[in-house]
Amino acid sequence: MEYVLVTGGAGYIGSHTVAELLENGYNCVVVDNLSNSSYESIARLKVLMKHDIPFHQVDIQDETALDAVFGKYKIDSVIHFAGLKAVGESAHIPLRYYHNNIMGTISLLEVMEKHGVHKLVFSSSATVYGDATRFPNMIPIPEECPTGPINPYGRTKLTIEEILKDLYASNVQIWKFAILRYFNPIGAHFSGLIGEDPLGIPNNLLPFMAQVAVGRREKLFVFGNDYDSRDGTPIRDYIHVVDLAKGHIAALKYLDKNSHTGLCREWNLGSGTGSTVMEVYKACCQSIGKDIPYEIVGRRAGDVLNLTAKPDRAMNELHWKTELDVKRACEDLWKWATGNPYGYQLENVTSAFFSKEKVHESRVLTVGEGTSFEVSVANIGATLVDLKIDGKSVVLGLNDEEEYCRPENPYFGATIGRYANRIRNGEFVLDGKNYKLTNNEKASVCHSGIQSYHKKRFLGPLVQNTQRNEFVAKFLLIDAKTEIPGDVHVTVTYHVNTEAKELSIDYEAELLNGNSTIINLTNHSYFNLNLDQEKTVENTEIVLVADKILDVDESGIPNGELTELHSQGNGKVIKLNKGIPAYDSCYVTANKSSINTRSHSPAKIFTAYHKASKLQLDIFATDPTFQFYTGDFISHPDFAPRAGFCCEPGRFIDAINIDPWKNAVILNIGEKYGSRIIYKFRTRSNASYWESSI
Amino acid sequence: MEYVLVTGGAGYIGSHTVAELLENGYNCVVVDNLSNSSYESIARLKVLMKHDIPFHQVDIQDETALDAVFGKYKIDSVIHFAGLKAVGESAHIPLRYYHNNIMGTISLLEVMEKHGVHKLVFSSSATVYGDATRFPNMIPIPEECPTGPINPYGRTKLTIEEILKDLYASNVQIWKFAILRYFNPIGAHFSGLIGEDPLGIPNNLLPFMAQVAVGRREKLFVFGNDYDSRDGTPIRDYIHVVDLAKGHIAALKYLDKNSHTGLCREWNLGSGTGSTVMEVYKACCQSIGKDIPYEIVGRRAGDVLNLTAKPDRAMNELHWKTELDVKRACEDLWKWATGNPYGYQLENVTSAFFSKEKVHESRVLTVGEGTSFEVSVANIGATLVDLKIDGKSVVLGLNDEEEYCRPENPYFGATIGRYANRIRNGEFVLDGKNYKLTNNEKASVCHSGIQSYHKKRFLGPLVQNTQRNEFVAKFLLIDAKTEIPGDVHVTVTYHVNTEAKELSIDYEAELLNGNSTIINLTNHSYFNLNLDQEKTVENTEIVLVADKILDVDESGIPNGELTELHSQGNGKVIKLNKGIPAYDSCYVTANKSSINTRSHSPAKIFTAYHKASKLQLDIFATDPTFQFYTGDFISHPDFAPRAGFCCEPGRFIDAINIDPWKNAVILNIGEKYGSRIIYKFRTRSNASYWESSI
C-alpha cells in the first residue's frame, strides 16, 4: 500500500487536501506538530471519509522521528504544508520563521532523499511575488513575474523554492517538485465539519469576520481604504479551499504523468478574478444574513495593492481551474463557523491519551466534563469507559487501553460486534456457503471470538457539541478481513444530553463487499447505581420489561423455544439481594425485529433503582431481545462478582442458525443495519412512587 | 574580560582575523567544528601571538553546545565565518549547504539573542551579486548592485543576509550587523605559519598553484580562456587575506562607534583592481621562481566574467582599504606553502587528547612517530611524556593529564619553573623588597611550590617539521599573577632530530611587567635506559662530568660552599648497583653562568650507559650546575624507587639568596632568559670503548 505523506495535514489547507486525496483514492499519512492545528480535524476526517488516516505528531525538524515515519510506510510522494504562516508575526519573530520553515523543509528533503522518495508538492504562496504592481502589466500575475517578497514569511517560502530548484538541479533525473503558489484560500469543507481554526487573533479576513459574526470578536478591522482600487480596499484573488485542495491532486497527477524524468515547476493556484476586501465583506454578510460591524483602520505593513493570479499555466498544464466562487466560499465558511463557533475546541469536552503508547489513535474523550452528567468514551472498542452522575461513576471501567486488552476484561463498556452473543459452535450457512469461526467457548463463539470489537481501535471520534447540552461522538470501525464473510463499516454514535441525563447509542453498519454478512451489535456496560462505589449491586431493584425468555442449553444456545415469564420478569420488581441466583438470560421484548430497527420507537425494556442513592436507570431499545446478566462470573482482580449488572439489547441469540430470527442478523449489500439503545437516569426521592410506577 | 566570538576561527580567513583581533587588543573565543580546518592553526596562533585563544570544537548548529560557550565567556560581539564554501560542491550537495550555512547562522543568532549579544560581523561573499555584467555599468560592483547569486553557495549567503536584515528590522534599536562581501582572498600570514589549508582538491587558484609547485599535483587547470577579458581568462578582485582580516576589525570598530542604535549594512571588501587568472598565474610563478605547468580547460559552471569590487563604501565608512598587492600575496603564499607543503598536516606527527575532558588545550603530541626516535610532549607542564628508542620508552611517564596533576607525580618529565630547585624558606629580596612564597617543604620552597609549572597547561605547541628528520614543538606559558613578582612569557621548545636521536630543549623567557623577577627553568625527566622495562635503573653506569658539589644542609639548601669531588664524580664511572647510597646532589659543571646561557656552547655534563641494552645517553647543557638524583624517593604506586634517574641542569640552588650566584636568576625587564639542554642517544655494541671513552 502506497501513501502520500502530508506534512501539516491537520491544518486548514492540509486537512482539506487530505479529504480530496482520500476522495481520489490515495492513502495518506499525516505528520503535524499540532503547533497551530488540532488533531480533531484528522479524527473528524477519518469518520467523515470513512477511511483510516495514520497520524504522527511529529515536528518535521525532528529528523529521527520523521525517519521513523518514512520507515513505517511505503511513501510514494509528499505534500508539504507544514510551516508557520502569519505574515505579521513573521516580521516580529523572523528567526522562528526561518528556523521552522526552512529547517523543516531541509529536514524533510534529507529524509526523503535517504528513503528514495523524490516527489514533492510544495505549499508556496503568492507572497513570493511581493508587490507585482511595481512592474507594468504584471497584474494578473503570471509565474514569470520576478519574485520579491516583502516580508520574512514570503522570504522563507521563496528560499524554500530556491532550495527545491537547487536540489532538482543537483540531480535532474530524479527529483520532481511541484511548487504551488497559493492566492487567498477561503471557505470550508462542504460538510461543515472541517475548516479554518486559527489560534489567537485570525490574520485573515474571513476567519476574522466569522468570529465577529459568532460573537467572539467585536468588529472587523479593514486595513486601509486608500488603495488604488474600485473601492479603495486591496484586491485579492480568493479561492475556495476545496478548489485549492483539488489543485494538489492535479499537481500530483502531473508529477506522476511525467514519470520519465525529474522536474521542478511553479504553478499559481488562483481564480484569476480579483475581489476587493469590501466586496468579500459584502458577500460574507449576505451569507451570514446580517451586517458585520467593521472599522476602517490604517494600512498594514507588508500589504500590497493587488494579488490576482494569472492561472493559465495551471489550467493548461494541470487541467485545473477554480469551480467555486466567493459566494459559495462564504456560505461554506458560515456553515463551518455556525456549527463550530470555536473551531475544533468544544466546551466541556476534553480528551487524553488512553494508551501507554500516547498515540492519538487511542484516546479517551469526555463529553459533558464539568456537568452533572459526564460520559467518557475511548477508541478501543468504542468503549463507554465511564459515566458519571454528579461526579460519581455508575458504570464499571478500566484505566487504559492496555487494561481493556487483557483477557480478564469482561467486555466492560465495550461495543460488541460484529456478532454479539453466541453462535452455536461458531457455525453457520450464508448464501449457501458453510462458515466455521474459531470457538472461544467450549461449544460456541461468543461476542465474535477472535475478531471481537472490544479490542479493536475505532476511528474518530467525530465529536460535536450540537446544542449547549447535547454532544455527539461518532466512531467508525472498518471491520475487514476477518473470519466473518464481508467487510463492513460500523458507526457507533454516542449522543449525550447532559440536562436530560440521557445517553443513547446508535449503531449503523453497511456491507462493503460480497453479497451479505451476519451482524448483531450492542453495548456491554456494567452498571452499578449505588454511587458510593460499593463493591456489588446489592440493594438494587430491577424490572425486566419482557414476558418471555429464551430456552437455552447448558452452553447458552437457544433451541428456538420461548418460555413465558412469571415471577422473574414481566414487570415484577426483583431485588438483587445476596441470596438470589445468578441471572444470565435472554429476554424477549415487545419490539419487532428487522435488520434496521431504528425505524421502530425505542421501547422501555429495563428499569433499575437503588434505594440508597435514589438513582433510577431506564433502558430503552429498538431490538427484540436483551440479555440480562448479574455479573456473577466477573473474575477481574479489581472487581468482585456482581460488581455491576448488564443489560445488552440485541437480536435473538444464535439467530443466524434459527429460521424465524435469521433475517434480522443478515445484512445484504446495499442495506443498512441499525439499532438504538437509550440510557436515561433520574433521581427519585420518593421510593414508593418507584414501586408503584411499574 | 570581554571576548569576540569567532565562529569558524580555525579556518583560512578566520585564523587570520583572529591574529588581527589579537594584534588589535581584542580577546577571542574560537568555535569551529573543524570539518574543514585544523586546530593546529589555533595552537600555532597562541604561540605566535603569545596569547591564549579559548577554543571549543563546536558545530554552531548545536545550540546546546553554543549556549554553553556563551554562558562561559562574556561575549561582546561575534564574527561569523563558519560555513561551507565550495561553489562547485554546493551545486552537487545543495541540501548540505543550506542545512549547514543557514541553520548554523539561525542557531547562532538564536543563542546570541538569548544571551543579549547583538553585534555580528558576517562573512558574506561577492558571489551574492552573481554575474554583475548582466547590468550596464555595474563593474566595478557597488553594494547597490542587485543581488542574484547563480549557485547554491551564493544563495545560502544571500539568504543569511536577508535573515540578518529581517532580524534587524524586527528590532532596529538593538541589532547591529555588518555584512562583509569578500572578493577573492589570497595569500597567507607574514609569519609563514598560518595560511590556507584546503581539504581535498583546492577550489581556488592560488592554493591549487601552490600544490602544483610543491609537487602535490601535476598541473594547474585554467577554466576557460574565452572570456571577454584582456587575455580571455576571468577577472577577479584578489585581496590579501591580511587586508581582508583587517577589514573585520574596521567593521567591528564601526559597529562600536555607532553605539546609539542598531544597524545592518553591507560593505564590499575588495581592492577595486581586477586581475585576470593568467595575470595572477604569472605573478605567482615569479614568486615561486619557476613556471608552473598548466592546462586550459573548459569554463566552469557558475563562473562569471568579472567580479571586481567597488570598495568606496568601505573606504569612506570603515576607513579601510587594501594595502598589499597580488605580488605580496603570492610571496606570502609561497612562504606558507614551502614551509607547510601539506598545510597543517605534518608527516610522522600525531596528536591525541590528553585529558579526560577531551579538550584541545590538553593534548599529547608525538613527533617522529613511526621512526626509531619518538618524542611525546603534552601541554600539561610542557611535559616530556615519553621518549621511545626503537619503540621502547627510556623516560618515565604517565597516562593522562589527570595523572600528572596528582600529588604522587614526582615531576615526571615536567618543565620546572618559574624557579627550579629550592629557595630557603621561600624567602628572597628583589629590588629591595622582601618576598615570601608559600613553602611546600619544611624549610624551603622546591620547584616553585604552589605555582609550579608541572601542573600548568602550556599553550601550543607550534609544531613544525623543518626538515625531513627534524621536528620542532614550541610551547608557551603566560605565567602571570603568582606569588613570584612579575609576569613572564616562557617558551619551551623541543627540537627533535630522529636521525641523530637527539632531543634538545630550549628555554626562553621574557618579563612582561615590573622591574625584575626570579627565574630558573629546567626539565625533570627520569631516564631508564634498560629498554626492557625493568623496574629500576640497576646495571646503569654513569659519569657525572663535574668536579665540585654544592654543600647543602639537611633541607637541601646550600651554604654557598663547594666541595671538590673525588670518587663520586669527576669523570669516574659509577655503577648504579643496588647497594650504592641515594644520590640527590647538585654538581657544578664547567659552564659559566649568566641570565641567558644560550650563547654558551652546550657542554657534556653527564653520561649514562646500560650494559644490557647497550644504550648510551649523553646530556649537554649550557647551565652551571645540575642536580643528579637516583629517584630513591619516588613513591608512586606504579613506579618503584630508582625507577629512573634525573639529571636536571640549572642555575645554582637558592641562587637568589647567595650573592655570587644571584645575577643568573634575576631577569630584568627587556632582557631574555635562556638555556638549553641536549639529550643525545646512541647504541654502542663495544662496552669497553665506553669505559675507556671517559
Side-chain angles (χ1 to χ4, degrees), chain A residues 261 277 426 463 473 481 516 574 597:
Chain A
T261 181
V277 166
V463 191
K481 292 183 186 143
S516 55
I574 304 163
T597 63

Side-chain angles (χ1 to χ4, degrees), chain B residues 291-333:
Chain B
D291 281 357
I292 305 298
Y294 73 93
E295 187 186 336
I296 307 284
V297 293
R299 288 185 181 199
R300 194 166 54 174
D303 274 351
V304 300
L305 163 62
N306 193 336
L307 272 176
T308 303
K310 185 171 182 191
D312 301 32
R313 190 189 277 184
M315 278 194 227
N316 296 333
E317 296 177 358
L318 306 183
H319 309 300
W320 169 92
K321 63 179 177 56
T322 60
E323 287 167 351
L324 304 163
D325 60 12
V326 168
K327 185 167 167 288
R328 173 65 195 262
C330 289
E331 285 162 11
D332 290 330
L333 170 72

Side-chain angles (χ1 to χ4, degrees), chain A residues 144 165 177-180 254 263-267 313 317:
Chain A
E144 293 77 14
K165 282 172 196 166
F177 297 130
I179 294 167
L180 303 183
Y254 184 89
L263 69 97
C264 180
R265 192 156 171 81
E266 319 82 357
W267 289 277
R313 191 189 275 184
E317 296 176 359

Side-chain angles (χ1 to χ4, degrees), chain B residues 177-199:
Chain B
F177 297 130
I179 293 167
L180 303 183
R181 292 175 175 164
Y182 308 155
F183 283 70
N184 278 46
I186 56 170
H189 195 256
F190 307 156
S191 66
L193 292 172
I194 61 168
E196 189 166 8
D197 181 22
L199 273 186

Side-chain angles (χ1 to χ4, degrees), chain A residues 61 63 90-96 98-99 102-103 105-107 109-110 113 151-153 155 159 162-163 166-171 175, chain B residues 61 63 90-96 98-99 102-103 105-107 109-110 113 151-153 155 159 162-163 166-171 175:
Chain A
Q61 293 175 78
E63 286 202 26
S90 79
H92 289 113
I93 48 169
L95 274 187
R96 248 199 94 207
Y98 282 105
H99 194 146
I102 294 180
M103 256 326 289
T105 304
I106 289 174
S107 160
L109 291 166
E110 285 172 342
E113 183 162 42
N151 54 59
Y153 164 71
R155 276 189 278 277
T159 299
E162 285 169 349
I163 292 172
D166 282 335
L167 188 55
Y168 163 68
S170 76
N171 193 338
W175 289 106
Chain B
Q61 294 176 79
E63 286 202 26
S90 79
H92 289 113
I93 48 170
L95 273 187
R96 249 199 92 207
Y98 282 103
H99 193 147
I102 294 179
M103 258 322 291
T105 304
I106 289 173
S107 160
L109 291 166
E110 285 173 341
E113 184 162 41
N151 53 59
Y153 163 71
R155 277 189 278 275
T159 300
E162 286 169 347
I163 292 172
D166 282 336
L167 187 56
Y168 163 69
S170 76
N171 193 337
W175 289 106

Side-chain angles (χ1 to χ4, degrees), chain B residues 333-402:
Chain B
L333 170 72
W334 189 232
K335 186 176 177 185
W336 156 252
T338 47
N340 308 274
Y342 286 81
Y344 296 110
Q345 304 309 309
L346 304 182
E347 224 179 328
N348 298 334
V349 175
T350 57
S351 83
F353 290 131
F354 200 51
S355 156
K356 292 192 172 71
E357 286 180 52
K358 293 192 188 300
V359 291
H360 286 78
E361 284 76 7
S362 178
R363 299 184 298 164
V364 59
L365 202 107
T366 300
V367 301
E369 175 138 16
T371 73
S372 59
F373 194 76
E374 292 178 32
V375 173
S376 296
V377 288
N379 290 89
I380 186 70
T383 295
L384 177 63
V385 167
D386 201 1
L387 195 165
K388 284 199 177 105
I389 311 274
D390 298 325
K392 292 185 178 173
S393 294
V394 298
V395 300
L396 307 189
L398 302 172
N399 295 311
D400 55 35
E401 181 180 286
E402 287 75 11

